[in-house]
Amino acid sequence: MAGKIPDETSSFVGRREELRRVERALSVHRLVTLTGTGGVGKTRVALRAAARGGPGHRDGVIWAELWPLMGSDLLIATVADAAGLADHTPRLAADALCAWLAEREALLVLDSCEHLAADCRRLIGQLLRSAPGLTVLATSRQPLEVDGEHVLAIGPLPVDGTRGARAPSDAARLLLSRAAEAAPDVDVDSPSERAAADAICRRLEGIPLALELASGQLRQRRLTDLAGALGSPLTMLSGEPSARPPRHASLRTTIGWSHELCTPAERLLWARLAVLRGPFDARTAQLVCSGGPLSEDGVADALSGLVVKCVVQRDGDRHRMLDSLKEYGRMWLEELGEREQLADRHAAYFHEVVRQADERWLGPEQAREYGRIAQAHPDLCAALDHLMNDPDGAAVDLAGRVAFFWSCCGHLHEARHYLERALLEHREPGPVLTRALWALGIVRLLQGEPEPAAQLAAHCARAAEEDEDPEAALGAAYLLSLTYLMTGRPLVAQSLAESALAEAAEDDFVSPSRLRCRLITVFTRTALGVYDEAEGLARRLLAACEQRDEVWTRSYVEYQLSLIALFRDRPAEAAEHARAMLRGKRRLGDRFGIALGVDLLAAAAAEQGEGEQAARLSGTGQTYWRSVGHPQRGTPELAAVRERTDLRARTAIGDHAYRVARQRGASDTRATLALALGPAEPPAPPE
């Protein structure tokens, strides 16, 4: 498992002793919690410690950011996603995560636990009991109170130099480095600027976030001017100064001071941006946050100003705000009386994002829309939470539309969670309800529950007939035929799919459900051993997909062509189709599809006498299947393919070499796939 440690976007200053303490603690204790006030630098210390300590863990680092979560519902799903687990089974999510990590030797970093302390406490306890090779590094504003927890307090940067009068303190080094970036024409080494930097650091008590915010003003003023401005502390934002720790007071005061230095438009945008849960682009900010005195152009200008002032961080074309600054923004949003209005706008915007993605599913923007859905995951969950009480059933529509995307890309538990919640609140008959029930059927089938899926398909078929909805009828036929296919009845599946297609002789690309039914007819012919027909139909469908740059169906057609080539003793051709499938599934982020493709690559290698590569790929495939958690591991005919692969690989290189190579493939998925796929970039492993 490769680490998913975020990139450090600015220089790291000081913290040598803290890092030594963290490294020593991680070598002895299985749970280390870094505590300290918001903005003190806990995340940066954890980031650097994880980067330095990751190679010491066989399976690398798992980094889970918890700050976007406003509640505990998605805690386990977030950690599972960070760990590369896309469980397709109906078992409890915590059980699946414990089983996935049980044999791993990894460092799990849980960043920003304080608002979910009780739930993190329970989850960490379960994980440490189930996974003896797991070490947990957590950041929190308070200890988590888990048995065996080792707490390390992270304090502010020192404000006094330690190597003589001429050497700046760590706090001053941070401020001066940011000053040099903000105003390269200013001589930050001059005595007056150095003295001003020392004064600022003492006033802000060395809190890194406070210093970063202060540095945001250096494009407009010198350090000496900044020091003078900080001479008059602002009134505390709420409560009495004695009611909170002095360092927390300093941070709140500094945030308030930065707020005062913003223009009215920047302050308004700051408050409104707090409604966004995850990273965002400028267009999202414009569409969600404009209104009243803030036009779309005004949002763009204000956003630039907030970036300059270090309130918003920019990374390429994406932006994000630190949690401490979002908390402050939410407070002002409440004061402005706009919280509910902004939540409505936020939910409506992300509902529209999903609606567009759904409508573009057949077109050349399909892969890009999958990427948008993946990036918007925290905000989509927030939108669904907000819409649950909507009397018009907006949550049912949103959950029904997003569930198919999520079912492909590792969010089956979230899809089921929100579908079932929404359906409890809204049962008004009609296309929206039918679509949501269909999506729930897809989810339950992929979780290994074919009987409930078939019942939901039958319900959808009746509703489609009552509503005279041909798309819903095709969707129901697809779900039911897929259920029969997955349970080993391809002839029935083929009959159902072809009957549905015969109802209207149209181009397959006029509707998503029609195209999916057409794909079923390829799958069933392969399963029935009618290879000439299957290959002919597959190649025609492949050409149509290539013409339109459609990825999802095309990838599964490549899978079928690979399988057909294997059955017809053409392993080199099978390998090429499997590689094409893997590249397509990578574009979509579909780990289930990647698992299928790896199995076919392993089979093709075994048939060509490449026993070691087949064994390594089998190990990689096993890792992917464990991450997916699918109980059946694809269509029934794959079971015989896997057995033949293992037998031929063992025969070629011997049992011992086979076990060694398979273990190597299981633990080093990225290198194995890079070798198998050649110069093209490999799919991201289940980290």
Side-chain angles (χ1 to χ4, degrees):
M1 278 192 307
K4 293 178 66 175
I5 306 174
D7 294 330
E8 294 187 89
T9 57
S10 59
S11 58
F12 186 87
V13 176
R15 304 293 196 187
R16 292 183 180 179
E17 180 53 34
E18 286 98 328
L19 285 170
R20 281 195 289 267
R21 288 165 54 209
V22 174
E23 290 172 357
R24 285 196 299 267
L26 288 173
S27 69
V28 176
H29 303 280
R30 295 187 61 208
L31 170 61
V32 176
T33 303
L34 308 184
T35 62
T37 188
V40 81
K42 301 183 295 296
T43 297
R44 287 303 298 269
V45 172
L47 191 64
R48 181 55 63 100
R52 288 166 55 154
H57 296 81
R58 184 191 68 197
D59 296 306
V61 177
I62 303 165
W63 183 281
E65 293 182 336
L66 306 185
W67 59 265
L69 303 181
M70 299 301 289
S72 62
D73 286 351
L74 297 178
L75 170 63
I76 296 173
T78 298
V79 178
D81 189 54
L85 172 64
D87 186 52
H88 279 53
T89 68
R91 58 185 169 172
L92 293 175
D95 293 342
L97 181 59
C98 288
W100 172 240
L101 294 173
E103 299 178 4
R104 281 168 166 69
E105 296 178 8
L107 174 64
L108 170 63
V109 185
L110 301 178
D111 186 34
S112 300
C113 297
E114 57 275 348
H115 62 306
L116 303 172
D119 298 283
C120 287
R121 183 183 309 126
R122 285 191 292 271
L123 177 60
I124 291 171
Q126 286 179 277
L127 293 178
L128 292 178
R129 287 191 297 272
S130 303
L134 187 70
T135 301
V136 179
L137 175 62
T139 71
S140 176
R141 298 185 189 181
Q142 62 190 41
L144 299 176
E145 299 179 351
V146 179
D147 289 343
E149 177 184 30
H150 183 78
V151 178
L152 291 176
I154 301 299
L157 291 170
V159 297
D160 296 317
T162 57
R163 291 174 294 172
R166 296 183 59 84
S169 66
D170 285 345
R173 287 172 56 215
L174 175 63
L175 182 61
L176 290 168
S177 70
R178 301 298 186 262
E181 295 169 5
D185 57 330
V186 175
D187 181 11
V188 295
D189 291 325
S190 70
S192 60
E193 296 293 306
R194 287 278 296 276
D198 288 339
I200 292 168
C201 292
R202 285 192 295 272
R203 176 65 183 83
L204 300 182
E205 297 185 333
I207 297 176
L209 176 58
L211 297 172
E212 296 276 1
L213 289 171
S215 71
Q217 299 301 317
L218 296 177
R219 290 176 175 83
Q220 288 84 31
R221 58 176 71 188
R222 298 170 64 89
L223 279 166
T224 50
D225 298 329
L226 197 58
L230 279 173
S232 302
L234 297 176
T235 303
M236 291 301 297
L237 299 174
S238 61
E240 296 299 322
S242 59
R244 59 172 61 84
R247 288 169 183 163
H248 193 111
S250 296
L251 175 63
R252 300 281 289 189
T253 301
T254 306
I255 294 175
W257 168 75
S258 293
H259 188 261
E260 288 293 318
L261 293 176
C262 291
T263 67
E266 290 167 353
R267 294 178 204 168
L268 181 57
L269 179 60
W270 184 343
R272 291 179 174 179
L273 285 174
V275 77
L276 293 165
R277 299 288 176 85
F280 57 91
D281 57 26
R283 187 57 180 159
T284 297
Q286 288 179 309
L287 294 175
V288 173
C289 301
S290 62
L294 201 56
S295 66
E296 288 189 10
D297 288 342
V299 168
D301 292 339
L303 183 60
S304 297
L306 291 176
V307 170
V308 168
K309 294 177 175 68
C310 298
V311 175
V312 172
Q313 298 174 339
R314 182 169 183 173
D315 183 12
D317 61 352
R318 308 280 287 170
H319 301 75
R320 65 178 290 177
M321 292 177 67
L322 295 175
D323 193 42
S324 298
L325 303 182
K326 281 191 177 183
E327 286 181 11
Y328 187 88
R330 280 192 288 270
M331 181 195 72
W332 276 104
L333 196 62
E334 193 75 42
E335 288 290 323
L336 293 168
E338 290 192 351
R339 183 182 63 81
E340 194 66 22
Q341 175 189 349
L342 260 291
D344 288 342
R345 292 193 64 178
H346 172 273
Y349 171 76
F350 283 98
H351 195 167
E352 182 60 24
V353 166
V354 173
R355 186 180 293 111
Q356 289 181 8
D358 184 35
E359 291 173 352
R360 295 170 180 170
W361 192 85
L362 280 174
E365 295 179 297
Q366 184 189 73
R368 186 178 74 87
E369 295 299 336
Y370 269 90
R372 288 187 73 193
I373 295 295
Q375 287 183 332
H377 186 71
D379 285 288
L380 288 171
C381 294
L384 282 162
D385 286 329
H386 179 71
L387 292 173
M388 282 298 163
N389 296 321
D390 184 275
D392 296 328
V396 178
D397 184 59
L398 176 52
R401 289 176 183 270
V402 79
F404 191 79
F405 291 92
W406 280 357
S407 66
C408 294
C409 302
H411 297 299
L412 273 180
H413 283 287
E414 293 99 312
R416 182 166 181 169
H417 168 77
Y418 282 114
L419 281 166
E420 291 180 341
R421 276 184 64 192
L423 288 167
L424 282 174
E425 300 293 332
H426 183 83
R427 300 289 297 190
E428 182 178 344
V432 170
L433 178 65
T434 303
R435 173 66 180 264
L437 292 171
W438 174 84
L440 183 59
I442 294 291
V443 169
R444 296 193 70 171
L445 176 61
L446 292 177
Q447 288 189 323
E449 299 180 358
E451 290 184 10
Q455 292 169 3
L456 287 165
H459 179 94
C460 291
R462 291 192 297 270
E465 185 176 358
E466 292 172 5
D467 295 337
E468 297 182 352
D469 186 343
E471 175 65 12
L474 283 164
Y478 167 72
L479 173 56
L480 189 55
S481 60
L482 182 61
T483 302
Y484 280 119
L485 179 69
M486 297 292 282
T487 52
R489 300 177 67 184
L491 191 59
V492 180
Q494 179 174 308
S495 177
L496 282 168
E498 290 185 341
S499 294
L501 291 168
E503 290 294 320
E506 301 177 20
D507 177 71
D508 289 334
F509 285 82
V510 298
S511 84
S513 293
R514 184 176 181 85
L515 183 60
R516 293 168 193 151
C517 283
R518 180 64 67 193
L519 181 63
I520 289 289
T521 66
V522 179
F523 271 73
T524 55
R525 282 172 168 80
T526 303
L528 290 166
V530 189
Y531 300 136
D532 285 339
E533 287 186 31
E535 185 171 357
L537 183 56
R539 292 196 181 280
R540 289 193 295 273
L541 190 53
L542 180 65
C545 291
E546 288 175 339
Q547 183 180 359
R548 294 167 174 82
D549 197 22
E550 195 278 346
V551 180
W552 186 88
T553 309
R554 175 182 174 180
S555 297
Y556 278 119
V557 173
E558 295 279 13
Y559 163 72
Q560 286 296 294
L561 287 170
S562 179
L563 202 56
I564 292 166
L566 275 176
F567 291 152
R568 305 186 103 175
D569 197 25
R570 303 197 302 251
E573 180 185 332
E576 287 306 308
H577 287 300
R579 291 187 184 100
M581 180 205 185
L582 282 168
R583 291 177 183 128
K585 290 303 181 184
R586 182 185 177 278
R587 288 179 66 186
L588 302 181
D590 184 347
R591 296 181 203 165
F592 176 70
I594 292 172
L596 288 170
V598 171
D599 277 353
L600 293 185
L601 265 183
E607 294 299 322
Q608 295 178 89
E610 299 170 357
E612 182 177 354
Q613 180 161 320
R616 285 187 63 180
L617 285 165
S618 292
T620 294
Q622 181 187 40
T623 298
Y624 272 100
W625 281 116
R626 288 190 61 212
S627 82
V628 170
H630 194 277
Q632 186 173 315
R633 296 176 66 184
T635 49
E637 62 269 19
L638 271 184
V641 171
R642 292 190 193 96
E643 289 179 8
R644 180 178 173 88
T645 298
D646 290 349
L647 177 62
R648 293 185 72 86
R650 286 179 187 275
T651 301
I653 61 175
D655 286 346
H656 176 72
Y658 173 85
R659 287 194 298 271
V660 171
R662 188 177 170 90
Q663 178 56 45
R664 184 180 177 191
S667 61
D668 196 353
T669 57
R670 184 178 295 275
T672 301
L673 284 172
L675 179 65
L677 290 175
E681 186 179 355
E687 299 172 355

